[in-house]
Amino acid sequence: MIYSNRNEWLAAARKRVLLFGMSGLGKTYLASMLRGSGEWFHYSVDYRIGTRYMGEYIADNFKREAMKNPFLRELLLSDSVYIASNITFDNLAPLSTYMGKPGSQARGGLPFDEYMKRQNQHRVAEKATLMDTTHFIERAEDIYSIPHFVCDSGGSICEVVDPEDPADPILRELSANLLMVWIEGSEAHTEELIRRFDRAPKPMYYQPQFLERKWVEYRVDRGLKEDEVNPDDFVRWTYSQALAHRQPRYAAMARNWGIRVRAEDVALVRDVKDFTSLIADALAAR
């Protein structure tokens, strides 16, 4: 780790952290709060994925839908209109919409092959985005003279690395340049995330082997053909299992590559001083 103890962290002129864990536990809250201080650069992995690496896929998907409308089709073919996504740190809907959900097209789903193609695009994009982090650390200081850096990683980071492999190229690169910080949720947090997801199921990235296995299990259990699957029902059914699948992977990342903080403690952080103390205490506890 780049800070081996509490004192090194507190004395560091350049503090660099990567936050990871389940979506909804405070990664973006902390990153946005730190950015608001004016002394921290906020690097959002999901934003980078949706702009640099998948922006063209997203825009083409919008255009594909627009071409179905005769009025918009004519304007597009004559270059009279411009279509692009307005993705922001706080609104990742264009990326989520593109990722989609597998199942009945009549219910807004995607054929499973197309869904898996987009999942693969996301995996490639996420790996590249994570490897871009070091470049942005240098860029933040070189261009903006911002000394501190926070990487707000996506919830699926644990799906694109092997936390038990000491030679994992992504984790080696990240841990050499940032302090890896797991925001660990409790069972109560997990239950609340499941309830929240059940109210509004959203697309997400899954490890391919896990996803293919769950796709078969779901359909066999219900006796459904691929085009009979309710997309929202499938992702609801899969979500809690995905959280259980990710938990030990997050834990291994913290054990082998970084530290952990509790989500309930993150909720009490109000400013940079609180955050600095939170990380110092976690380093001391480790």
Short mmCIF file of all heavy atoms in Angstrom, two decimals, residues 130-188:
data_model
loop_
_atom_site.label_atom_id
_atom_site.label_comp_id
_atom_site.label_asym_id
_atom_site.label_seq_id
_atom_site.Cartn_x
_atom_site.Cartn_y
_atom_site.Cartn_z
N LEU A 130 -9.94 1.71 -15.73
CA LEU A 130 -9.18 1.55 -14.49
C LEU A 130 -7.68 1.77 -14.75
O LEU A 130 -6.98 2.39 -13.94
CB LEU A 130 -9.44 0.17 -13.89
CG LEU A 130 -10.84 -0.03 -13.30
CD1 LEU A 130 -11.10 -1.50 -13.00
CD2 LEU A 130 -11.03 0.81 -12.04
N MET A 131 -7.20 1.27 -15.88
CA MET A 131 -5.78 1.45 -16.21
C MET A 131 -5.46 2.90 -16.58
O MET A 131 -4.29 3.31 -16.58
CB MET A 131 -5.37 0.50 -17.34
CG MET A 131 -5.39 -0.96 -16.95
SD MET A 131 -4.25 -1.36 -15.59
CE MET A 131 -2.68 -1.40 -16.47
N ASP A 132 -6.48 3.70 -16.90
CA ASP A 132 -6.29 5.12 -17.20
C ASP A 132 -6.10 5.96 -15.94
O ASP A 132 -5.73 7.14 -16.03
CB ASP A 132 -7.50 5.69 -17.95
CG ASP A 132 -7.57 5.25 -19.40
OD1 ASP A 132 -6.56 4.74 -19.92
OD2 ASP A 132 -8.65 5.41 -20.01
N THR A 133 -6.36 5.38 -14.78
CA THR A 133 -6.37 6.15 -13.54
C THR A 133 -5.05 6.87 -13.30
O THR A 133 -5.03 8.06 -12.94
CB THR A 133 -6.68 5.23 -12.34
OG1 THR A 133 -7.91 4.54 -12.57
CG2 THR A 133 -6.81 6.04 -11.06
N THR A 134 -3.94 6.18 -13.50
CA THR A 134 -2.63 6.80 -13.26
C THR A 134 -2.43 8.03 -14.14
O THR A 134 -1.89 9.05 -13.70
CB THR A 134 -1.50 5.79 -13.51
OG1 THR A 134 -1.72 4.63 -12.70
CG2 THR A 134 -0.15 6.38 -13.16
N HIS A 135 -2.87 7.93 -15.39
CA HIS A 135 -2.76 9.08 -16.30
C HIS A 135 -3.52 10.28 -15.74
O HIS A 135 -3.05 11.42 -15.81
CB HIS A 135 -3.31 8.70 -17.68
CG HIS A 135 -3.55 9.86 -18.59
ND1 HIS A 135 -2.54 10.65 -19.09
CD2 HIS A 135 -4.72 10.40 -19.07
CE1 HIS A 135 -3.06 11.61 -19.85
NE2 HIS A 135 -4.37 11.47 -19.85
N PHE A 136 -4.69 10.03 -15.17
CA PHE A 136 -5.49 11.13 -14.64
C PHE A 136 -4.91 11.68 -13.34
O PHE A 136 -5.10 12.86 -13.04
CB PHE A 136 -6.95 10.69 -14.48
CG PHE A 136 -7.75 10.87 -15.73
CD1 PHE A 136 -7.75 9.90 -16.72
CD2 PHE A 136 -8.48 12.03 -15.95
CE1 PHE A 136 -8.46 10.08 -17.89
CE2 PHE A 136 -9.19 12.22 -17.11
CZ PHE A 136 -9.18 11.24 -18.09
N ILE A 137 -4.22 10.85 -12.57
CA ILE A 137 -3.52 11.37 -11.39
C ILE A 137 -2.49 12.40 -11.83
O ILE A 137 -2.40 13.51 -11.27
CB ILE A 137 -2.83 10.22 -10.63
CG1 ILE A 137 -3.87 9.31 -9.96
CG2 ILE A 137 -1.87 10.78 -9.58
CD1 ILE A 137 -3.28 8.06 -9.33
N GLU A 138 -1.72 12.06 -12.86
CA GLU A 138 -0.70 12.97 -13.39
C GLU A 138 -1.34 14.21 -14.00
O GLU A 138 -0.87 15.34 -13.82
CB GLU A 138 0.15 12.25 -14.42
CG GLU A 138 0.94 11.07 -13.85
CD GLU A 138 1.52 10.16 -14.91
OE1 GLU A 138 1.21 10.38 -16.11
OE2 GLU A 138 2.28 9.23 -14.55
N ARG A 139 -2.45 13.99 -14.72
CA ARG A 139 -3.14 15.09 -15.39
C ARG A 139 -3.72 16.09 -14.39
O ARG A 139 -3.67 17.30 -14.60
CB ARG A 139 -4.26 14.48 -16.23
CG ARG A 139 -4.92 15.41 -17.21
CD ARG A 139 -5.79 14.63 -18.17
NE ARG A 139 -6.46 15.51 -19.10
CZ ARG A 139 -7.78 15.58 -19.24
NH1 ARG A 139 -8.56 14.81 -18.51
NH2 ARG A 139 -8.32 16.39 -20.12
N ALA A 140 -4.28 15.56 -13.28
CA ALA A 140 -4.89 16.43 -12.28
C ALA A 140 -3.89 17.42 -11.70
O ALA A 140 -4.21 18.59 -11.47
CB ALA A 140 -5.49 15.57 -11.16
N GLU A 141 -2.66 16.94 -11.50
CA GLU A 141 -1.65 17.82 -10.92
C GLU A 141 -0.99 18.69 -11.98
O GLU A 141 -0.76 19.88 -11.76
CB GLU A 141 -0.59 16.99 -10.19
CG GLU A 141 0.35 17.83 -9.37
CD GLU A 141 1.03 17.05 -8.26
OE1 GLU A 141 0.85 15.82 -8.20
OE2 GLU A 141 1.75 17.68 -7.48
N ASP A 142 -0.73 18.11 -13.14
CA ASP A 142 -0.04 18.85 -14.20
C ASP A 142 -0.87 20.00 -14.75
O ASP A 142 -0.38 21.12 -14.93
CB ASP A 142 0.35 17.89 -15.32
CG ASP A 142 1.03 18.59 -16.48
OD1 ASP A 142 1.98 19.35 -16.21
OD2 ASP A 142 0.63 18.39 -17.64
N ILE A 143 -2.14 19.74 -15.02
CA ILE A 143 -3.00 20.75 -15.64
C ILE A 143 -3.71 21.62 -14.61
O ILE A 143 -3.74 22.85 -14.73
CB ILE A 143 -4.04 20.08 -16.57
CG1 ILE A 143 -3.34 19.32 -17.70
CG2 ILE A 143 -5.00 21.13 -17.13
CD1 ILE A 143 -4.29 18.57 -18.61
N TYR A 144 -4.27 20.98 -13.57
CA TYR A 144 -5.13 21.72 -12.64
C TYR A 144 -4.45 22.05 -11.31
O TYR A 144 -5.03 22.76 -10.49
CB TYR A 144 -6.40 20.90 -12.37
CG TYR A 144 -7.16 20.54 -13.63
CD1 TYR A 144 -7.17 19.23 -14.10
CD2 TYR A 144 -7.82 21.52 -14.37
CE1 TYR A 144 -7.85 18.90 -15.27
CE2 TYR A 144 -8.51 21.20 -15.53
CZ TYR A 144 -8.51 19.88 -15.98
OH TYR A 144 -9.18 19.56 -17.13
N SER A 145 -3.24 21.52 -11.10
CA SER A 145 -2.52 21.75 -9.84
C SER A 145 -3.34 21.33 -8.63
O SER A 145 -3.32 21.98 -7.58
CB SER A 145 -2.11 23.24 -9.72
OG SER A 145 -1.27 23.61 -10.78
N ILE A 146 -4.09 20.22 -8.78
CA ILE A 146 -4.87 19.68 -7.67
C ILE A 146 -4.05 18.53 -7.06
O ILE A 146 -3.77 17.54 -7.72
CB ILE A 146 -6.24 19.18 -8.15
CG1 ILE A 146 -7.05 20.35 -8.74
CG2 ILE A 146 -7.01 18.53 -7.01
CD1 ILE A 146 -8.41 19.95 -9.29
N PRO A 147 -3.69 18.64 -5.78
CA PRO A 147 -2.76 17.67 -5.18
C PRO A 147 -3.36 16.32 -4.81
O PRO A 147 -2.67 15.30 -4.84
CB PRO A 147 -2.28 18.39 -3.93
CG PRO A 147 -3.41 19.30 -3.55
CD PRO A 147 -4.01 19.73 -4.85
N HIS A 148 -4.65 16.30 -4.46
CA HIS A 148 -5.26 15.07 -3.96
C HIS A 148 -6.19 14.46 -5.01
O HIS A 148 -6.77 15.18 -5.83
CB HIS A 148 -6.01 15.34 -2.66
CG HIS A 148 -5.20 16.07 -1.64
ND1 HIS A 148 -3.96 15.63 -1.21
CD2 HIS A 148 -5.43 17.25 -0.99
CE1 HIS A 148 -3.48 16.48 -0.33
NE2 HIS A 148 -4.33 17.48 -0.18
N PHE A 149 -6.37 13.16 -4.94
CA PHE A 149 -7.07 12.44 -6.02
C PHE A 149 -7.95 11.35 -5.44
O PHE A 149 -7.51 10.54 -4.61
CB PHE A 149 -6.03 11.81 -6.95
CG PHE A 149 -6.57 11.19 -8.20
CD1 PHE A 149 -6.61 11.90 -9.39
CD2 PHE A 149 -7.05 9.88 -8.20
CE1 PHE A 149 -7.10 11.32 -10.56
CE2 PHE A 149 -7.53 9.30 -9.35
CZ PHE A 149 -7.56 10.02 -10.55
N VAL A 150 -9.21 11.29 -5.89
CA VAL A 150 -10.11 10.21 -5.48
C VAL A 150 -10.69 9.55 -6.73
O VAL A 150 -11.22 10.23 -7.61
CB VAL A 150 -11.25 10.72 -4.56
CG1 VAL A 150 -12.05 11.86 -5.20
CG2 VAL A 150 -12.18 9.57 -4.17
N CYS A 151 -10.55 8.25 -6.80
CA CYS A 151 -11.14 7.46 -7.88
C CYS A 151 -12.43 6.83 -7.37
O CYS A 151 -12.41 6.05 -6.42
CB CYS A 151 -10.17 6.38 -8.35
SG CYS A 151 -10.87 5.27 -9.61
N ASP A 152 -13.52 7.20 -7.99
CA ASP A 152 -14.86 6.68 -7.65
C ASP A 152 -15.12 5.50 -8.59
O ASP A 152 -15.56 5.68 -9.72
CB ASP A 152 -15.86 7.82 -7.85
CG ASP A 152 -17.30 7.41 -7.69
OD1 ASP A 152 -17.56 6.28 -7.23
OD2 ASP A 152 -18.19 8.23 -8.02
N SER A 153 -14.80 4.29 -8.14
CA SER A 153 -14.89 3.13 -9.02
C SER A 153 -16.33 2.62 -9.11
O SER A 153 -17.16 2.90 -8.25
CB SER A 153 -13.97 2.00 -8.53
OG SER A 153 -14.50 1.39 -7.38
N GLY A 154 -16.60 1.85 -10.15
CA GLY A 154 -17.92 1.25 -10.30
C GLY A 154 -18.09 0.05 -9.40
O GLY A 154 -17.11 -0.55 -8.95
N GLY A 155 -19.33 -0.33 -9.13
CA GLY A 155 -19.58 -1.48 -8.28
C GLY A 155 -19.05 -2.78 -8.84
O GLY A 155 -18.85 -3.75 -8.11
N SER A 156 -18.78 -2.80 -10.14
CA SER A 156 -18.36 -4.05 -10.79
C SER A 156 -16.84 -4.20 -10.87
O SER A 156 -16.36 -5.13 -11.52
CB SER A 156 -18.97 -4.14 -12.20
OG SER A 156 -18.66 -3.01 -12.98
N ILE A 157 -16.08 -3.35 -10.21
CA ILE A 157 -14.62 -3.47 -10.27
C ILE A 157 -14.16 -4.86 -9.87
O ILE A 157 -13.23 -5.42 -10.45
CB ILE A 157 -13.93 -2.40 -9.39
CG1 ILE A 157 -12.41 -2.50 -9.54
CG2 ILE A 157 -14.36 -2.49 -7.95
CD1 ILE A 157 -11.64 -1.40 -8.82
N CYS A 158 -14.84 -5.46 -8.88
CA CYS A 158 -14.42 -6.78 -8.40
C CYS A 158 -14.65 -7.88 -9.43
O CYS A 158 -14.12 -8.99 -9.29
CB CYS A 158 -15.14 -7.13 -7.10
SG CYS A 158 -16.92 -7.36 -7.29
N GLU A 159 -15.43 -7.59 -10.47
CA GLU A 159 -15.72 -8.57 -11.50
C GLU A 159 -14.68 -8.59 -12.62
O GLU A 159 -14.64 -9.52 -13.42
CB GLU A 159 -17.10 -8.29 -12.13
CG GLU A 159 -18.25 -8.17 -11.14
CD GLU A 159 -18.74 -9.50 -10.63
OE1 GLU A 159 -17.99 -10.49 -10.67
OE2 GLU A 159 -19.89 -9.57 -10.17
N VAL A 160 -13.86 -7.54 -12.69
CA VAL A 160 -12.89 -7.46 -13.80
C VAL A 160 -11.45 -7.63 -13.32
O VAL A 160 -10.51 -7.43 -14.10
CB VAL A 160 -13.05 -6.13 -14.58
CG1 VAL A 160 -14.44 -6.03 -15.18
CG2 VAL A 160 -12.75 -4.93 -13.69
N VAL A 161 -11.27 -7.97 -12.04
CA VAL A 161 -9.94 -8.23 -11.49
C VAL A 161 -9.97 -9.55 -10.73
O VAL A 161 -11.04 -10.08 -10.42
CB VAL A 161 -9.48 -7.10 -10.52
CG1 VAL A 161 -9.40 -5.77 -11.25
CG2 VAL A 161 -10.42 -7.00 -9.32
N ASP A 162 -8.78 -10.08 -10.44
CA ASP A 162 -8.67 -11.28 -9.61
C ASP A 162 -7.98 -10.88 -8.31
O ASP A 162 -6.75 -10.77 -8.26
CB ASP A 162 -7.86 -12.36 -10.32
CG ASP A 162 -7.75 -13.65 -9.51
OD1 ASP A 162 -8.20 -13.66 -8.34
OD2 ASP A 162 -7.21 -14.64 -10.03
N PRO A 163 -8.74 -10.64 -7.25
CA PRO A 163 -8.15 -10.12 -6.00
C PRO A 163 -7.20 -11.09 -5.30
O PRO A 163 -6.43 -10.69 -4.45
CB PRO A 163 -9.37 -9.82 -5.13
CG PRO A 163 -10.46 -10.68 -5.67
CD PRO A 163 -10.21 -10.77 -7.14
N GLU A 164 -7.26 -12.36 -5.68
CA GLU A 164 -6.37 -13.35 -5.05
C GLU A 164 -5.08 -13.56 -5.84
O GLU A 164 -4.20 -14.29 -5.40
CB GLU A 164 -7.10 -14.70 -4.92
CG GLU A 164 -8.36 -14.65 -4.06
CD GLU A 164 -8.08 -14.46 -2.58
OE1 GLU A 164 -6.89 -14.29 -2.20
OE2 GLU A 164 -9.04 -14.47 -1.79
N ASP A 165 -4.96 -12.89 -6.98
CA ASP A 165 -3.76 -13.03 -7.81
C ASP A 165 -2.81 -11.88 -7.54
O ASP A 165 -3.10 -10.73 -7.90
CB ASP A 165 -4.16 -13.05 -9.29
CG ASP A 165 -2.97 -13.18 -10.23
OD1 ASP A 165 -1.84 -13.37 -9.72
OD2 ASP A 165 -3.17 -13.11 -11.45
N PRO A 166 -1.67 -12.13 -6.91
CA PRO A 166 -0.74 -11.04 -6.61
C PRO A 166 -0.16 -10.37 -7.86
O PRO A 166 0.43 -9.30 -7.77
CB PRO A 166 0.35 -11.72 -5.78
CG PRO A 166 0.27 -13.17 -6.14
CD PRO A 166 -1.17 -13.44 -6.43
N ALA A 167 -0.34 -11.01 -9.02
CA ALA A 167 0.18 -10.45 -10.27
C ALA A 167 -0.92 -9.79 -11.11
O ALA A 167 -0.67 -9.40 -12.25
CB ALA A 167 0.86 -11.53 -11.08
N ASP A 168 -2.13 -9.65 -10.55
CA ASP A 168 -3.21 -9.03 -11.33
C ASP A 168 -2.76 -7.65 -11.81
O ASP A 168 -2.42 -6.79 -10.99
CB ASP A 168 -4.47 -8.90 -10.48
CG ASP A 168 -5.65 -8.35 -11.27
OD1 ASP A 168 -5.77 -7.09 -11.34
OD2 ASP A 168 -6.42 -9.14 -11.83
N PRO A 169 -2.72 -7.42 -13.12
CA PRO A 169 -2.14 -6.17 -13.64
C PRO A 169 -2.90 -4.92 -13.22
O PRO A 169 -2.29 -3.88 -12.96
CB PRO A 169 -2.15 -6.37 -15.16
CG PRO A 169 -3.20 -7.41 -15.41
CD PRO A 169 -3.16 -8.31 -14.22
N ILE A 170 -4.22 -5.01 -13.17
CA ILE A 170 -5.01 -3.83 -12.81
C ILE A 170 -4.82 -3.48 -11.34
O ILE A 170 -4.56 -2.32 -10.98
CB ILE A 170 -6.50 -4.06 -13.13
CG1 ILE A 170 -6.71 -4.18 -14.64
CG2 ILE A 170 -7.36 -2.91 -12.57
CD1 ILE A 170 -8.12 -4.53 -15.05
N LEU A 171 -4.90 -4.47 -10.46
CA LEU A 171 -4.75 -4.21 -9.03
C LEU A 171 -3.33 -3.78 -8.68
O LEU A 171 -3.12 -2.95 -7.79
CB LEU A 171 -5.16 -5.43 -8.23
CG LEU A 171 -6.66 -5.73 -8.24
CD1 LEU A 171 -6.97 -7.04 -7.53
CD2 LEU A 171 -7.45 -4.58 -7.59
N ARG A 172 -2.35 -4.33 -9.37
CA ARG A 172 -0.96 -3.92 -9.13
C ARG A 172 -0.78 -2.44 -9.50
O ARG A 172 -0.14 -1.68 -8.77
CB ARG A 172 0.01 -4.79 -9.94
CG ARG A 172 0.24 -6.16 -9.34
CD ARG A 172 1.11 -7.03 -10.24
NE ARG A 172 2.44 -6.47 -10.38
CZ ARG A 172 3.45 -6.72 -9.56
NH1 ARG A 172 3.28 -7.52 -8.53
NH2 ARG A 172 4.65 -6.19 -9.76
N GLU A 173 -1.34 -2.05 -10.64
CA GLU A 173 -1.23 -0.66 -11.09
C GLU A 173 -1.96 0.28 -10.13
O GLU A 173 -1.42 1.33 -9.73
CB GLU A 173 -1.80 -0.53 -12.50
CG GLU A 173 -1.84 0.89 -13.05
CD GLU A 173 -0.47 1.46 -13.36
OE1 GLU A 173 0.51 0.69 -13.40
OE2 GLU A 173 -0.37 2.68 -13.57
N LEU A 174 -3.16 -0.08 -9.76
CA LEU A 174 -3.95 0.79 -8.88
C LEU A 174 -3.34 0.90 -7.49
O LEU A 174 -3.20 2.01 -6.96
CB LEU A 174 -5.39 0.26 -8.78
CG LEU A 174 -6.23 0.32 -10.05
CD1 LEU A 174 -7.57 -0.39 -9.85
CD2 LEU A 174 -6.45 1.76 -10.50
N SER A 175 -2.97 -0.23 -6.90
CA SER A 175 -2.46 -0.19 -5.53
C SER A 175 -1.09 0.49 -5.43
O SER A 175 -0.71 0.97 -4.37
CB SER A 175 -2.39 -1.60 -4.95
OG SER A 175 -1.45 -2.39 -5.67
N ALA A 176 -0.38 0.53 -6.54
CA ALA A 176 0.92 1.21 -6.54
C ALA A 176 0.77 2.73 -6.54
O ALA A 176 1.73 3.46 -6.24
CB ALA A 176 1.74 0.78 -7.76
N ASN A 177 -0.44 3.20 -6.88
CA ASN A 177 -0.65 4.64 -7.03
C ASN A 177 -1.75 5.21 -6.15
O ASN A 177 -1.84 6.44 -6.01
CB ASN A 177 -0.96 4.96 -8.49
CG ASN A 177 0.23 4.75 -9.41
OD1 ASN A 177 1.12 5.58 -9.47
ND2 ASN A 177 0.26 3.61 -10.09
N LEU A 178 -2.59 4.35 -5.59
CA LEU A 178 -3.68 4.82 -4.74
C LEU A 178 -3.88 3.88 -3.56
O LEU A 178 -3.51 2.70 -3.62
CB LEU A 178 -5.01 4.89 -5.51
CG LEU A 178 -5.07 5.67 -6.81
CD1 LEU A 178 -4.99 4.71 -8.00
CD2 LEU A 178 -6.38 6.46 -6.90
N LEU A 179 -4.50 4.38 -2.51
CA LEU A 179 -4.90 3.55 -1.38
C LEU A 179 -6.28 2.97 -1.70
O LEU A 179 -7.24 3.72 -1.92
CB LEU A 179 -4.97 4.36 -0.10
CG LEU A 179 -5.40 3.61 1.16
CD1 LEU A 179 -4.39 2.52 1.51
CD2 LEU A 179 -5.60 4.58 2.32
N MET A 180 -6.39 1.65 -1.76
CA MET A 180 -7.64 0.98 -2.10
C MET A 180 -8.52 0.91 -0.84
O MET A 180 -8.11 0.35 0.18
CB MET A 180 -7.36 -0.43 -2.61
CG MET A 180 -6.35 -0.51 -3.74
SD MET A 180 -7.05 -0.06 -5.33
CE MET A 180 -8.08 -1.50 -5.64
N VAL A 181 -9.72 1.48 -0.91
CA VAL A 181 -10.59 1.59 0.27
C VAL A 181 -11.94 0.95 -0.03
O VAL A 181 -12.70 1.42 -0.89
CB VAL A 181 -10.80 3.06 0.67
CG1 VAL A 181 -11.71 3.15 1.90
CG2 VAL A 181 -9.47 3.75 0.93
N TRP A 182 -12.24 -0.13 0.69
CA TRP A 182 -13.53 -0.80 0.55
C TRP A 182 -14.54 -0.18 1.50
O TRP A 182 -14.31 -0.10 2.70
CB TRP A 182 -13.39 -2.29 0.87
CG TRP A 182 -14.68 -3.08 0.84
CD1 TRP A 182 -15.78 -2.83 0.08
CD2 TRP A 182 -14.99 -4.26 1.59
NE1 TRP A 182 -16.76 -3.78 0.29
CE2 TRP A 182 -16.29 -4.66 1.23
CE3 TRP A 182 -14.28 -5.02 2.54
CZ2 TRP A 182 -16.92 -5.78 1.77
CZ3 TRP A 182 -14.89 -6.13 3.07
CH2 TRP A 182 -16.19 -6.52 2.70
N ILE A 183 -15.68 0.27 0.96
CA ILE A 183 -16.80 0.70 1.80
C ILE A 183 -17.66 -0.53 2.03
O ILE A 183 -18.38 -0.99 1.13
CB ILE A 183 -17.60 1.83 1.12
CG1 ILE A 183 -16.69 3.04 0.87
CG2 ILE A 183 -18.78 2.23 2.01
CD1 ILE A 183 -17.39 4.20 0.19
N GLU A 184 -17.56 -1.07 3.23
CA GLU A 184 -18.21 -2.33 3.56
C GLU A 184 -19.60 -2.09 4.14
O GLU A 184 -19.77 -1.37 5.13
CB GLU A 184 -17.37 -3.10 4.57
CG GLU A 184 -17.95 -4.43 4.99
CD GLU A 184 -17.11 -5.14 6.05
OE1 GLU A 184 -16.20 -4.49 6.61
OE2 GLU A 184 -17.38 -6.32 6.30
N GLY A 185 -20.61 -2.68 3.50
CA GLY A 185 -21.97 -2.56 4.00
C GLY A 185 -22.34 -3.69 4.94
O GLY A 185 -21.73 -4.77 4.91
N SER A 186 -23.33 -3.45 5.78
CA SER A 186 -23.83 -4.47 6.69
C SER A 186 -24.96 -5.26 6.02
O SER A 186 -25.36 -4.95 4.89
CB SER A 186 -24.37 -3.81 7.96
OG SER A 186 -25.48 -2.98 7.63
N GLU A 187 -25.48 -6.26 6.71
CA GLU A 187 -26.63 -6.99 6.18
C GLU A 187 -27.82 -6.07 5.98
O GLU A 187 -28.59 -6.20 5.02
CB GLU A 187 -27.00 -8.15 7.12
CG GLU A 187 -25.99 -9.29 7.12
CD GLU A 187 -26.46 -10.48 7.94
OE1 GLU A 187 -27.65 -10.50 8.31
OE2 GLU A 187 -25.65 -11.38 8.20
N ALA A 188 -27.98 -5.12 6.90
CA ALA A 188 -29.08 -4.16 6.78
C ALA A 188 -28.92 -3.31 5.53
O ALA A 188 -29.91 -3.02 4.83
CB ALA A 188 -29.13 -3.27 8.02
#
